Amino acid sequence: MNYERKVDVMDSLAGTQSYYEDADSSRRKRTRMIVALVLIALALGAAYYAFTHGSDAAGADGQSAAAVPNVTVVVPGRVSVEAAIAANGTIAARREMPVGVAGEGGQVVRVLVEPGQWVGAGQALAVIDRSVQAQQAASLAASIRVAQADADLAQAELERAQALVGRGFISKADMDRKRATRDAANARVRVAQAQYQEAVARNGRLNIVAPAAGLVLTRQVEPGQIVGAGSGVLFRMARGGEMEMLAQMAEADLARVKVGTRAAVTPVGSDLSIAGQVWQKSPVINMDTRQGTVRIALPYSEALRPGGFADARLIAGTTSAPLLPESAVQSGVDGNFVLVVDGNNVIKRVPVKVGTVTDGGVSIASGLTGNEKVVALAGAFLNPGDKVKPVVQKSSQ
């Protein structure tokens, strides 16, 4: 009995020891598994970090190299260009002639011209009814013949009296009276002739005629209209067809313009350039606009219509200025500007004032000295502060 009890106790102890050994083995396996998983996770994290940061560094290096583009620049220097002044204004007749009623007026019978026609000096523009005046002139012409008949009779009587003086039939007093009668009759003839000539001249003033040769601009009369001294202007004419442009320009530009300055005028809606020259400049400046008027004489052209708008380009001598290609000059809300590459190869924005525009390029009136490296192309794709690699292109001038 005791032996069996001992055996059972020993078996129980052996089972307990085996249980603890199995538990320790399982715990060690779990620990190793956890450690392995942690090591695998760390390895994966290190690989991911190395991959991502390595590609970012490589991309940054590539992008940095690609972000410095080659940019074509030009050093314009300074060249001699024509100093042009731009102005605008209205077209007008250089010598406008208003034509109205010069005589007593009456009813208009015919209008002989239309706007746009050329007329000569003294040519009739409109005819006024003269039926009453014509009868008056005929009456005065008849009175001349009556007075002439009386004068002839008085002369004949005087001659007969002179033949009888030597015989004593006519006294000296009678001779004086007959001579006075003859002189009075001749005077009445002259009076009648003067009255007739007055009527003829007055009738000639009934028609509305051109005071000088020129171009008819407007017509304000129609057949059947009653006109008189108070009718105002019936026609407007440009003497000789000569036109002018009333150009408005700033006070500073007005000081640079002289009488005789050449100008090229372009009417709005036309590509025609009409050569003219300044024949008068305003002696005063408008206090409100700070502008003055320059009058540019122009020859006749169908493109020039009084009252129309036109642009003018006045050549006020020559000046020395930088000359850039048109692609280098840009415009914004603040005006014109160019992009300049400074000493650190960084883009800078420089405002400029544009001068004369020619076939060779655009002259810069102010803002540049001519020694800058100005971006000639692709300026719209650059911004101030960008780093670039300038490639200098030789100026075309």
Side-chain angles (χ1 to χ4, degrees):
M1 291 294 293
N2 291 335
Y3 175 77
E4 293 177 354
R5 188 176 300 112
K6 289 180 179 179
V7 171
D8 293 336
V9 172
M10 292 177 67
D11 291 340
S12 176
L13 291 173
T16 301
Q17 184 178 1
S18 176
Y19 171 77
Y20 284 111
E21 289 178 352
D22 292 341
D24 290 339
S25 177
S26 176
R27 189 162 46 251
R28 284 194 297 272
K29 289 181 179 179
R30 285 196 300 272
T31 301
R32 285 194 295 270
M33 185 177 296
I34 291 172
V35 171
L37 292 174
V38 170
L39 292 175
I40 292 172
L42 290 175
L44 291 175
Y48 176 77
Y49 179 82
F51 175 77
T52 56
H53 283 66
S55 61
D56 289 344
D61 293 340
Q63 184 177 1
S64 176
V68 183
N70 293 334
V71 174
T72 302
V73 298
V74 61
V75 180
R78 300 184 74 88
V79 297
S80 179
V81 296
E82 291 183 333
I85 301 174
N88 51 51
T90 57
I91 302 297
R94 182 175 177 182
R95 294 300 183 196
E96 184 175 295
M97 298 182 297
V99 182
V101 178
E104 62 188 49
Q107 185 177 23
V108 177
V109 178
R110 287 181 299 163
V111 179
L112 304 178
V113 296
E114 296 290 342
Q117 291 184 357
W118 291 87
V119 296
Q123 180 176 336
L125 307 179
V127 177
I128 295 179
D129 177 58
R130 63 182 65 203
S131 56
V132 175
Q133 291 85 349
Q135 295 300 322
Q136 292 175 348
S139 174
L140 292 173
S143 67
I144 294 175
R145 293 191 291 272
V146 172
Q148 186 64 53
D150 292 340
D152 294 342
L153 179 60
Q155 179 66 31
E157 290 179 352
L158 177 61
E159 293 175 354
R160 287 194 296 269
Q162 288 176 343
L164 298 175
V165 169
R167 300 177 185 181
F169 295 103
I170 300 295
S171 65
K172 186 177 180 181
D174 291 337
M175 287 296 299
D176 292 340
R177 282 193 292 271
K178 291 186 179 297
R179 193 175 290 110
T181 302
R182 190 273 314 268
D183 293 341
N186 289 334
R188 285 193 291 273
V189 171
R190 290 192 291 271
V191 169
Q193 290 175 341
Q195 291 175 344
Y196 174 74
Q197 294 297 331
E198 178 188 0
V200 171
R202 187 168 53 249
N203 293 348
R205 287 161 57 93
L206 287 174
N207 289 344
I208 302 172
V209 300
L215 179 68
V216 178
L217 300 178
T218 63
R219 160 185 161 174
Q220 301 293 334
V221 63
E222 297 296 335
Q225 182 176 341
I226 305 299
V227 296
S231 297
V233 177
L234 303 181
F235 297 91
R236 290 189 180 274
M237 294 179 53
R239 191 182 70 181
E242 296 177 344
M243 299 292 172
E244 69 175 357
M245 176 182 174
L246 304 176
Q248 302 292 325
M249 60 179 55
E251 182 178 0
D253 291 335
L254 187 67
R256 300 163 54 194
V257 176
K258 299 180 180 179
V259 174
T261 299
R262 294 180 294 114
V265 176
T266 302
V268 170
S270 171
D271 296 331
L272 183 64
S273 179
I274 303 174
Q277 67 176 11
V278 175
W279 72 277
Q280 187 183 88
K281 56 187 267 186
S282 175
V284 297
I285 300 295
N286 189 299
M287 297 182 62
D288 297 329
T289 63
R290 309 308 305 174
Q291 290 185 332
T293 302
V294 169
R295 303 178 71 175
I296 303 172
L298 300 169
Y300 171 75
S301 173
E302 291 184 355
L304 297 176
R305 295 178 175 84
F309 198 73
D311 297 320
R313 182 172 175 268
L314 292 84
I315 308 301
T318 60
T319 185
S320 177
L323 192 65
L324 294 174
E326 293 187 14
S327 59
V329 182
Q330 304 182 57
S331 60
V333 293
D334 297 329
N336 297 316
F337 66 92
V338 296
L339 297 180
V340 174
V341 180
D342 63 8
N344 298 322
N345 293 339
V346 176
I347 295 293
K348 292 176 59 178
R349 176 171 172 165
V350 177
V352 296
K353 182 179 179 180
V354 174
T356 306
V357 179
T358 65
D359 294 337
V362 180
S363 65
I364 305 301
S366 63
L368 296 178
T369 63
N371 299 321
E372 298 87 352
K373 295 179 181 179
V374 182
V375 177
L377 299 171
F381 301 97
L382 299 174
N383 296 310
D386 290 350
K387 189 84 172 179
V388 297
K389 182 179 180 181
V391 179
V392 179
Q393 175 182 339
K394 187 176 180 180
S395 175
S396 61
Q397 298 297 322

